[in-house]
Amino acid sequence: MSIFEYNGSALVAMVGKNCFAIASDRRLGVQLQTIATDFQRIFKIHDKLYIGLSGLATDVQTLYQRLAFRHKLYQLREERDMKPETFASLVSALLYEKRFGPYFCQPVLAGLGDDNVPFICTMDCLGAKELAKDFVVSGTASESLYGACESMYKPNMEPEELFETISQALLSSVDRDCLSGWGGHVFVV
Amino acid sequence: MECVFGLVGDGFALIAADTSAVHSILVHKSNEDKVMILDSHKLLGASGEGGDRVQFTEFIQKNVHLYQFRNGIPLTTAAAANFTRGELAIALRKNPNFVNILLAGYDKDIGPSLYYIDYIATLHKIEKGAFGYGSYFALSMMDRHYHSGMSLEEAIDLVDKCIMEIRSRLVVAPPNFVIKIVDKDGAREYAWRESVKDAGVAAA
């Protein structure tokens, strides 16, 4: 079994009309055994920026701690919050630092830039950014998620409809993946 | 095979662990205490490779004491858990420790809590948890019988059910278990469940 599939995870982020939604499953497992059904994979960086981390749970926690530290330092120095694009570059750089001994995580970023323009992106474990205009997915259920999102997504959805869409896409995809599931956390901003 | 399991009840948390020290097919001793009393209100149940387990848990215990000496107040359970996870995470990519840990503690304002810390430094706060081959049986028994806010009698009854299940269904079941509890009065040993006593050494 691959190291990315050790804990099991599912993450998806979608763009709506001046809003974004990011959702994750809640299972923490150790291969076939479920340890907990309330594991948090999505973290708030600031009011308008959330990062979801899929993959190995220990690296999720380590990476989040490092990123929160870097962002707090940035806030102290610059006296403002980081823009989503800047933060994406920071995550990418942090991951590539470990090029030959990487963090086994695939981050999904979602934020609102200037003028509340929504921004989403995903990266592989080495920091290769993938910007998208509609949705990004990550985790063990990513293949199901691609299919579900492709069929359910429409551009310019209002927050309520976006919430429904992302929830249904997440739930139907994790139902086909034994390593993720047990409900979902959805953040709509 | 080593089993450690624990749960949170009404105003207390308890950890039960097997007590056999095994090397391949040989059982060195059957009364090895694997649940360390970390400080006055914390328990650390550890399972994993022998040397790593003792060295790492003693290291954590001494550092927890050091914090208390330096700062005059004890660490909270959450802080101790995060410190332990941090040490495991730092060691993970240098010289990994193969120790799985259940950390139980009682804080005056928060009450009892239980933390699951994997050998690869995955930290999660839980109500019930288990490690080892025994976890397959213990977790299922706890899923069936556990509810939050159990009284001590109910919890010990559940622990006994888990031990019975492990003893009867696990092919290399450890014979003896120790149960330790932590509540507002502190961390202490509660009971042993022995089915095999070590033969005493005859006086020379």
Side-chain angles (χ1 to χ4, degrees):
Chain A
M1 195 188 250
S2 145
I3 190 75
F4 291 101
E5 295 165 7
Y6 187 76
N7 292 121
S9 52
L11 270 174
V12 56
M14 278 189 186
V15 163
K17 189 165 175 169
N18 295 328
C19 64
F20 68 83
I22 181 166
S24 79
D25 75 318
R26 305 198 316 172
R27 178 181 180 271
L28 173 69
V30 170
Q31 296 187 310
L32 58 94
Q33 191 178 66
T34 300
I35 302 299
T37 56
D38 57 356
F39 188 67
Q40 190 193 6
R41 270 191 191 89
I42 298 179
F43 305 96
K44 182 168 119 162
I45 301 294
H46 62 77
D47 282 338
K48 292 188 180 174
L49 179 57
Y50 283 74
I51 181 166
L53 292 156
S54 70
L56 197 61
T58 176
D59 285 343
V60 164
Q61 291 173 329
T62 304
L63 200 55
Y64 165 64
Q65 286 174 345
R66 287 192 71 189
L67 288 167
F69 169 74
R70 293 292 297 264
H71 183 256
K72 283 181 188 166
L73 216 52
Y74 181 95
Q75 270 178 328
L76 284 171
R77 287 181 178 143
E78 305 248 341
E79 293 179 2
R80 65 187 177 94
D81 293 329
M82 245 191 217
K83 280 197 270 211
E85 295 83 357
T86 318
F87 189 73
S89 296
L90 170 67
V91 180
S92 177
L94 229 65
L95 289 171
Y96 196 76
E97 254 175 23
K98 306 277 182 195
R99 169 64 178 82
F100 298 107
Y103 289 117
F104 298 107
C105 279
Q106 284 126 331
V108 163
L109 270 83
L112 289 177
D114 304 325
D115 295 332
N116 288 338
V117 171
F119 168 88
I120 53 169
C121 101
T122 186
M123 270 166 246
D124 69 356
C125 67
L126 297 176
K129 269 186 283 187
E130 233 189 75
L131 307 168
K133 296 214 166 24
D134 39 15
F135 58 85
V136 289
V137 303
S138 152
T140 51
S142 57
E143 279 143 10
S144 311
L145 277 166
Y146 274 126
C149 289
E150 195 67 64
S151 49
M152 294 189 201
Y153 180 81
K154 335 194 272 287
N156 284 328
M157 283 188 275
E158 294 293 331
E160 291 79 23
E161 204 193 344
L162 187 63
F163 170 77
E164 281 302 324
T165 309
I166 199 172
S167 309
Q168 290 304 328
L170 180 73
L171 288 176
S172 54
S173 309
V174 302
D175 279 347
R176 281 291 180 185
D177 177 25
C178 55
L179 296 173
S180 53
W182 282 104
H185 280 133
V186 184
F187 293 83
V188 180
V189 178
Chain B
M1 266 289 5
E2 309 206 349
C3 330
V4 183
F5 59 95
L7 54 95
V8 172
D10 186 19
F12 68 92
L14 58 78
I15 295 184
D18 79 293
T19 59
S20 36
V22 167
H23 228 120
S24 153
I25 58 165
L26 176 67
V27 178
H28 280 298
K29 62 191 290 215
S30 328
N31 55 1
E32 166 86 4
D33 189 357
K34 294 178 191 168
V35 186
M36 172 178 276
I37 292 180
L38 212 55
D39 73 9
S40 64
H41 285 78
K42 286 184 204 38
L43 286 174
L44 189 77
S47 78
E49 219 162 292
D52 281 346
R53 172 172 55 79
V54 173
Q55 298 286 49
F56 185 73
T57 55
E58 280 187 5
F59 173 73
I60 296 296
Q61 184 190 51
K62 299 316 169 202
N63 272 285
V64 167
H65 287 169
L66 185 62
Y67 181 94
Q68 179 158 4
F69 291 142
R70 278 187 177 147
N71 298 291
I73 52 165
L75 278 170
T76 60
T77 313
N82 273 290
F83 169 70
T84 308
R85 185 208 106 81
E87 289 302 316
L88 278 170
I90 293 170
L92 180 63
R93 284 173 155 94
K94 288 186 198 155
N95 46 339
N97 276 299
F98 291 102
V99 202
N100 294 312
I101 285 169
L102 282 176
L103 199 151
Y106 185 90
D107 303 299
K108 224 162 48 157
D109 40 357
I110 301 173
S113 46
L114 182 64
Y115 288 88
Y116 168 104
I117 307 170
D118 214 340
Y119 76 98
I120 47 173
T122 309
L123 170 71
H124 197 61
K125 185 164 186 286
I126 48 170
E127 300 269 289
K128 55 191 190 309
F131 281 112
Y133 283 127
S135 69
Y136 293 118
F137 309 103
L139 280 176
S140 303
M141 289 308 279
M142 290 196 275
D143 282 340
R144 171 69 182 83
H145 295 290
Y146 177 86
H147 55 89
S148 53
M150 289 174 90
S151 72
L152 185 57
E153 292 74 33
E154 287 175 314
I156 293 297
D157 190 52
L158 175 53
V159 167
D160 282 328
K161 282 197 173 84
C162 294
I163 292 176
M164 276 301 352
E165 201 62 24
I166 293 170
R167 274 193 185 140
S168 53
R169 290 296 183 183
L170 186 56
V171 63
V172 277
N176 302 337
F177 286 80
V178 64
I179 304 172
K180 294 201 181 172
I181 182 176
V182 59
D183 61 13
K184 63 174 175 16
D185 300 321
R188 59 194 181 279
E189 193 177 282
Y190 179 83
W192 283 73
R193 297 282 185 252
E194 283 173 321
S195 60
V196 162
K197 272 195 153 55
D198 260 346
V201 177

